[in-house]
Structures are given as structure tokens and as C-alpha cells.
Amino acid sequence: MLTLVATPTNLNNSDLSDPLHLLTALQNLRQSVYQEGQEIFQRWQPSIHRRSFLLSALNLAYYLALRHHDLRPLQTALVPWGLSSLGRSESRVLPNLDAVITTLGELVNADPSSLPGRRPLRAFFRGDRLLQKEVEAVFGKTFAHRQSRIMVTLPNQAAEDFSLVLQLVECGSDCFQINCAHDNLEIWKSIVKNIRLASEKTGKNCKIFMDLAGPKPRTLEVVSPDAKSRMFVGDRLLLTPNSPQTTDPTIPFRASSSFPEILNQLQKNDPVWIDDGHIGTKVISLTSEGAILEVTHTRPKGEKLRPEKGLNFPETVIQLCPLTEKDFRDLDFVALHADIIGYSFVQTAADVALLQTEIQKRLQNSPKKIAIVAKIETKEAIRNLPEIMVQAAGKQPLAVMIARGDLAVEIGYQRLAEMQEEILWLCQSAHIPVIWATQVLENLAKTGIPSRAEITDAAMGERAECVMLNKGPFINETVTILDDVLRRMEAHQLKKTPQLRALHSW
């Protein structure tokens, strides 16, 4: 029987070229993953009330433990043996490890009692089945022609124009978003009615996704030297909690914030981004009037400072309740009419628990099951994503939205591609569906002509369970093209796994 003598992280490539050392490294890895995974799962278990999520949470815990190791030397060493390189273990961590260890052990005639043994075939596809159940719990029945769903944000015209909604369903839309930051209850009620009618008419069960506005920090009143003034690198801006007034001539630009309490949480040198990252600044001092910012980034021609533009604080852990007074009022309607509730600015498991409590208050005597979509928009949300998922999916169906607009500003554009991959992997390990959002086929929806890059981006969205489109004058054509792209890509790719269908191009 082989004994455990080393961990994967302290074996170099030459050690791993010896199959006995490689087997030992894999056994140590398996032991470490199991022990750490069990510890993580035991911390989570009290929060899990859905029995259907227990296995998923356990696999998530094992996956987190697995990814705490640098597996690249092991992956390289496994290739010559024709064994799994562990690169697609997300949905089945222990079965995959056990299969590799057992097969390698048999090849080197290891003591069978030292090997974990082979798991039944169904264990390798249990994660796929659990993910499919969760997808249908959120988005409804899966149709044979396409696995990925298409969600469309509806304009307020959908309240009066039933044909607009009907045509989108006929083109391929499976779900509709109503943004609660805009319009009012009467308009929402009419849109909901038209969605239900279109679903009935077409026989498609289109889900209604109502997105709570949340505490979106924005500029309010803005003061500039004149209407044509633009901000350039080196300019100064006073961000105030109230009416932007100052007598300091060295600060020509001023703006008030929609959430003045944030200013008390800023520190010197904290970055502040304005208008979806078009204006970059940093805090150079804090005064009784507010925060004095210095511009660090604009386009060469400068940028105008305008009201109602978003504020992002990527290095500041903002302490704000994720539900505003407006959200509490809107929930009275949303809880009764929505199938899915979008949760903006969620950052912790406690934030999720707050929304769950408020939903439960409004559905005390109702058997209705509402799904939650956690919109991942900040560094803090990324840091706490496993706990957010466990708290949410432990009680009700959950999907995770990669909100790439705010997320890019918060973590930096250069990290966005990396982070959206990591979120996809983490959600797959927990068998939780993902929504691929922000600017998907935006040029196509707005102008009728797609860019080459956005077609590729849409194709990458096939690895998520739902792709979200924004409204635009060419939205019908956009849904039709996205439907075609997703169908084609599903024949080639399933999450991270290539599907090797026969090629006919050559």
C-alpha cells in the first residue's frame, strides 16, 4: 500500500513524472480537498433549508478546497497517461478525483484498499442533472431546440403594444426583464398582463424578471464653469452631500451625491469612478464640505460632468442597505407578480437574508415560489459569492447575474474577462444557473449591424444558462440572431467541455 508522503504543492514536475509520486500527490490532494470541503460545508449547513441544494453546496465546498491548490503541475503530469487533467471537475469534484486516482492506481498495481474505488456512472452526471433542475426552477421548462435562455429588457411601450411582446416571444425570447428603476406600478401591471397573454397565446412559459432598483449612487445637482466645460486630467471636483456650493476657485467642478452617507466612508486616495468609468478620480482630501477629488482619467478631448451619472467606489466597502425605501414599496407589487426578483447591490449573505425575509412577509399564505437573481457588481460581492449563493439557494431557486457594466468599473476592465470565467466555474460547481448580461449584441440592437467582437461575446454567452439583451429598435432581429448563434454553439460547447460533433467545413 502506498503511503502519503507529500502534498501536490511541494512536488515538482520531475517528481510527478514518476507515476508512484504522481499517485501519492493525487491521494494527498484528495484527502486535503475532502477535509477542507467538509469543514466549509459544516459551516454552511445550518443555512440550507432546501434538501435539493445539500449535494450542490457540498460539491461547491469541495470545489473551493480544490481550487485553493495550484493544480498546473498535476495537470501536466496527467496528460501522458491519457487521464483527466481535472480541468472540467466543476460539477463533480470528488467523483473526478476518485476516477483519476483509481485508474492510475490500477495502472501501477497499487494496493486496491488504498484507492477510493470507482463511482457509478450516474455520479458523474449528477451535477448536470442538479443544474438542469435549478435552471428549470428559475426559468421554467427547457425546450429541445435550445438550452440557453434569452432574456429581453422591455421598454415601457410594452405596456400598450401587445404585438411588441408577442413578436419577441415568437422570435425566441424566454424571459422578460422589467426594470423597477423606471416607470410605475400601472405600467408594470400592463406589461405583466401582456407577457402573460403572449405566453398563453404561444404556449411558451415566459418568466417575468423584475429588477429592484437598489441604492444606485449617482450625481445629482452638478455645477460647471459653463455649459461647454469639460473635465481633464488634473482638474478638481468637489463631491458634496448637499447643494454643491464652494467659494474655492481651485475647484471649478462640483456635484452632489444621491447617497451622501457614502462620503463619510471615503478615505484619502480612494478611487471614485463617474459615468460608467468615463471619468476616473481619486480622493485627495476630505473637508467639512465633502470629498475633494482629482481627475485621473478622461478621454483626450475631456468629459462633461452631468447629473444622474453613476458613481463607483471600487476600493471602498460601502455600507448601504441594498433595499431602499422605494424597493420596500415596490416589493408589495413585485412579490405578487414576478417569477424572478433581481437583487442589485447585494454584497453579503445578510443582504440576501434581508430580501428573503421581506419576500416571505408578502407571501405568508401563498405557495408561490419566487427565484432570486443575485447581481454581482462589486468586489465585496465577489469576495462573498459562495456565502451569498448558499444563503440564497439554501432557501429558494437562485441564479447569478454577471453584471459586467458595474463589475468592469469596480474591478478594472483588464480583470473582467478573468472574473467572469471564475464566476461561471463557481456557479457550475454549485449547480446554479448564470445570466450573461450587459451590452450583449448592443450595436445590433441599436443600429441593426453587429460588431464582430460582440458576435463572439454572444457566442461565449452560451456557457451561461441565460443571455440578457437590452432594448433597442432592432431587438427582434437581435433575438433571432442570438437564437441562431446559441443553437450553433450548443452543438460545439457545453460549459467548459467541447462537444466534438462531426465537422463539415472541410
Side-chain angles (χ1 to χ4, degrees):
M1 177 178 176
L2 296 174
T3 56
L4 306 181
V5 295
T7 63
T9 51
N10 67 14
L11 283 171
N12 58 37
N13 288 333
S14 61
D15 291 322
L16 295 178
S17 65
D18 182 326
L20 295 178
H21 288 170
L22 176 58
L23 179 60
T24 301
L26 286 165
Q27 289 174 313
N28 280 335
L29 174 65
R30 203 261 189 206
Q31 183 181 31
S32 173
V33 166
Y34 179 79
Q35 290 175 345
E36 185 182 350
Q38 285 289 326
E39 291 171 5
I40 294 171
F41 178 69
Q42 287 168 15
R43 294 200 302 270
W44 289 345
Q45 202 163 2
S47 302
I48 302 172
H49 302 278
R50 291 171 72 209
R51 289 180 58 85
S52 60
F53 185 64
L54 283 169
L55 288 175
S56 300
L58 182 58
N59 190 71
L60 170 62
Y62 288 143
Y63 184 71
L64 289 173
L66 179 71
R67 295 308 305 270
H68 289 161
H69 297 267
D70 186 345
L71 302 176
R72 289 172 293 181
L74 278 175
Q75 289 183 289
T76 302
L78 285 166
V79 170
W81 292 92
L83 299 176
S84 167
S85 63
L86 309 177
R88 292 185 288 274
S89 301
E90 281 76 13
S91 63
R92 49 178 183 269
V93 175
L94 283 191
N96 220 47
L97 277 172
D98 289 349
V100 173
I101 292 170
T102 299
T103 301
L104 183 61
E106 291 172 348
L107 288 172
V108 299
N109 297 315
D111 181 353
S113 65
S114 70
L115 305 176
R118 299 192 178 277
R119 301 215 180 188
L121 185 62
R122 65 179 182 274
F124 290 88
F125 299 100
R126 182 183 291 120
D128 298 334
R129 294 193 298 272
L130 290 170
L131 173 59
Q132 185 61 29
K133 285 183 179 179
E134 198 70 8
V135 170
E136 295 195 351
V138 176
F139 296 109
K141 183 180 177 181
T142 301
F143 292 93
H145 70 283
R146 171 169 40 81
Q147 295 293 310
S148 297
R149 308 310 206 274
I150 297 175
M151 181 191 299
V152 176
T153 303
L154 288 175
N156 55 17
Q157 292 93 322
E160 300 176 353
D161 188 354
F162 169 70
S163 65
L164 184 156
V165 181
L166 180 62
Q167 289 171 16
L168 283 169
V169 176
E170 291 173 339
C171 288
S173 300
D174 308 287
C175 182
F176 292 104
Q177 183 196 42
I178 299 172
N179 189 343
C180 295
H182 305 294
D183 306 316
N184 55 52
L185 296 182
E186 291 306 312
I187 291 176
W188 302 342
K189 189 180 296 184
S190 297
I191 294 176
V192 167
K193 180 181 177 182
N194 283 339
I195 295 172
R196 299 296 188 207
L197 185 59
S199 295
E200 183 180 341
K201 191 174 181 66
T202 60
K204 290 183 64 176
N205 182 18
C206 295
K207 295 295 184 178
I208 296 173
F209 173 92
M210 298 196 72
D211 192 12
L212 298 173
K216 181 65 175 177
R218 295 184 180 276
T219 56
L220 293 179
E221 188 179 350
V222 165
V223 175
S224 301
D226 59 64
K228 295 183 179 181
S229 293
R230 291 177 178 268
M231 302 182 75
F232 293 91
V233 173
D235 283 340
R236 291 190 174 186
L237 159 69
L238 175 65
L239 192 61
T240 70
N242 41 46
S243 184
Q245 298 178 355
T246 182
T247 57
D248 189 341
T250 66
I251 309 176
F253 296 93
R254 303 182 291 282
S256 57
S257 168
S258 59
F259 286 87
E261 60 266 39
I262 291 176
L263 302 184
N264 296 326
Q265 301 173 40
L266 295 176
Q267 296 182 7
K268 189 175 179 180
N269 294 320
D270 279 359
V272 180
W273 290 89
I274 305 170
D275 191 9
D276 291 331
H278 286 94
I279 303 172
T281 71
K282 68 174 181 180
V283 178
I284 59 172
S285 66
L286 299 164
T287 71
S288 58
E289 293 182 291
I292 299 175
L293 314 179
E294 183 176 283
V295 178
T296 58
H297 172 84
T298 67
R299 290 180 294 183
K301 67 177 183 179
E303 298 286 351
K304 287 187 177 181
L305 181 64
R306 294 186 172 94
E308 296 299 323
K309 296 300 179 181
L311 296 168
N312 291 90
F313 308 89
E315 298 297 333
T316 310
V317 180
I318 300 299
Q319 302 296 329
L320 281 179
C321 179
L323 294 176
T324 66
E325 290 302 318
K326 170 179 164 52
D327 294 329
F328 285 115
R329 295 192 301 269
D330 291 348
L331 269 170
D332 295 338
F333 178 91
V334 170
L336 295 177
H337 294 89
D339 302 305
I340 310 167
I341 296 179
Y343 199 12
S344 300
F345 209 77
V346 57
Q347 299 195 97
T348 66
D351 292 341
V352 176
L354 172 63
L355 177 60
Q356 290 173 324
T357 298
E358 293 301 321
I359 292 172
Q360 189 59 37
K361 285 180 184 177
R362 292 158 175 80
L363 297 176
Q364 285 183 356
N365 300 314
S366 172
K368 182 178 181 181
K369 297 289 185 182
I370 294 182
I372 289 176
V373 168
K375 298 171 65 177
I376 305 305
E377 302 171 291
T378 66
K379 286 183 178 180
E380 194 69 4
I382 291 171
R383 188 177 298 116
N384 296 317
L385 183 54
E387 287 71 27
I388 288 171
M389 292 196 298
V390 169
Q391 175 64 41
K395 290 188 176 179
Q396 60 205 112
L398 169 72
V400 167
M401 179 183 288
I402 308 177
R404 299 185 297 171
D406 279 310
L407 191 58
V409 178
E410 289 281 331
I411 67 175
Y413 286 87
Q414 66 273 25
R415 285 207 65 204
L416 178 62
E418 173 190 23
M419 190 49 59
Q420 66 189 17
E421 294 298 308
E422 293 187 19
I423 293 173
L424 281 166
W425 302 338
L426 201 66
C427 289
Q428 187 181 1
S429 73
H431 315 132
I432 287 173
V434 175
I435 301 172
W436 189 265
T438 312
Q439 294 183 316
V440 179
L441 296 177
E442 185 169 5
N443 286 338
L444 177 57
K446 289 183 176 179
T447 68
I449 301 175
S451 72
R452 279 67 170 171
E454 70 182 15
I455 288 291
T456 302
D457 176 62
M460 295 287 283
E462 178 274 330
R463 295 168 307 152
E465 284 64 45
C466 180
V467 180
M468 191 177 87
L469 300 172
N470 211 340
K471 52 186 178 287
F474 298 93
I475 189 61
N476 286 356
E477 295 92 329
T478 304
V479 172
T480 300
I481 289 175
L482 179 59
D483 176 72
D484 184 50
V485 168
L486 293 175
R487 290 195 203 195
R488 291 175 183 275
M489 291 306 300
E490 284 178 0
H492 294 287
Q493 191 83 14
L494 176 64
K495 304 299 275 186
K496 288 170 66 178
T497 304
Q499 303 292 293
L500 302 183
R501 74 158 176 80
L503 299 180
H504 303 290
S505 301
W506 301 278

